[in-house]
Amino acid sequence: MPGPGDLEVSRRGVLVAGAASAALTAVPAASAQGAPLPAPTMLPVTLEVNGQRRELTLDTRTTLLDALREHLKLNGSKKGCDHGQCGACTVLVNGTRINSCLTLAVMHQGDKVTTIEGLGRPGALHPMQAAFVKHDGYQCGYCTPGQICSAVAVLDEIRKGVPSHATADITRRSPLDATEMRERMSGNICRCGAYSNIVDAMTDVAGGRA
Ligand code: FES
Ligand code: FES
């Protein structure tokens, strides 16, 4: 049976052990704070952006979105969330839509990148851009470049027979209908709620009745 003194020793021992443990965990944290950060690694990357060859030397941590906006000054693609949740940064890479905030620029050596600036321009709009104007597919416009790039790719995906979660029979081509369009556009968030007008614009371009 331990006596009162033994208990006291034990309590003191526990306190000493706890303090030592705290000190041990604090040491690496302090070292990490004081350690110099590694120098950025710079690499050359060549992209074909909107039909133009663009050569850059980038910190390997640069996202494709930042390469477009900060280095090439193509700020049509928007940074809404910067972590893949809003779709405002959607661009086409080799014809496929991606969230440019979720991919590093150096991963796209030689790729063909199309941004909203490359789809059309004032006086020569892409049919999807013209349809967004015609159907009021936007209000503030912040999400619109991503919505339009995504919408162009969505119609292409449906035409190629790529199924979606809304496709009832994946052995058959998906219909070009509002259900498919809404499902496929669900990664593009519009804070202004222009969703039904966006589907109208897409339906118009697809050749249906809005
Ligand atoms: Fe890329 Fe939101 S900024 S998904
Ligand atoms: Fe404003 Fe979509 S038009 S967020």
Side-chain angles (χ1 to χ4, degrees):
M1 252 317 269
D6 296 328
L7 280 176
E8 185 56 33
V9 169
S10 297
R11 190 182 304 122
R12 196 177 301 122
V14 167
L15 290 174
V16 168
S21 156
L24 279 175
T25 53
V27 168
S31 304
Q33 277 178 358
L37 291 171
T41 303
M42 306 296 286
L43 279 183
V45 59
T46 303
L47 307 170
E48 188 180 318
V49 182
N50 299 333
Q52 284 191 326
R53 182 183 165 93
R54 306 299 299 264
E55 294 178 359
L56 296 166
T57 299
L58 297 173
D59 182 327
T60 51
R61 298 165 295 185
T62 307
T63 63
L64 180 58
L65 177 61
D66 284 341
L68 294 169
R69 287 180 56 87
E70 309 300 331
H71 295 265
L72 298 178
K73 305 304 175 194
L74 292 169
N75 51 21
S77 307
K78 296 294 184 278
K79 185 180 282 190
C81 65
D82 208 19
H83 54 269
Q85 295 195 336
C86 72
C89 64
T90 305
V91 298
L92 307 178
V93 174
N94 300 329
T96 300
R97 57 185 172 146
I98 63 168
N99 288 336
S100 60
C101 72
L102 286 187
T103 188
L104 299 174
V106 293
M107 294 163 64
H108 295 282
Q109 180 67 35
D111 282 353
K112 291 182 168 60
V113 181
T114 306
T115 68
I116 190 69
E117 292 94 339
L119 279 183
R121 58 184 187 282
L125 294 180
H126 184 283
M128 192 63 78
Q129 292 171 315
F132 267 62
V133 173
K134 177 180 168 189
H135 292 279
D136 283 336
Y138 52 86
Q139 289 181 41
C140 77
Y142 196 80
C143 72
T144 311
Q147 299 278 6
I148 291 177
C149 287
S150 218
V152 168
V154 161
L155 296 192
D156 201 36
E157 286 162 21
I158 296 176
R159 288 193 195 99
K160 286 178 179 163
V162 179
S164 79
H165 288 292
T167 307
D169 181 354
I170 62 169
T171 65
R172 307 179 71 168
R173 193 174 293 270
S174 314
L176 267 167
D177 64 17
T179 304
E180 283 286 348
M181 291 179 198
R182 285 182 185 277
E183 166 59 27
R184 290 169 194 263
M185 293 293 289
S186 60
N188 288 83
I189 308 303
C190 176
R191 193 182 171 99
C192 299
Y195 298 112
S196 56
N197 293 10
I198 290 170
V199 170
D200 286 351
M202 293 174 68
T203 304
D204 198 349
V205 174
R209 276 175 62 109

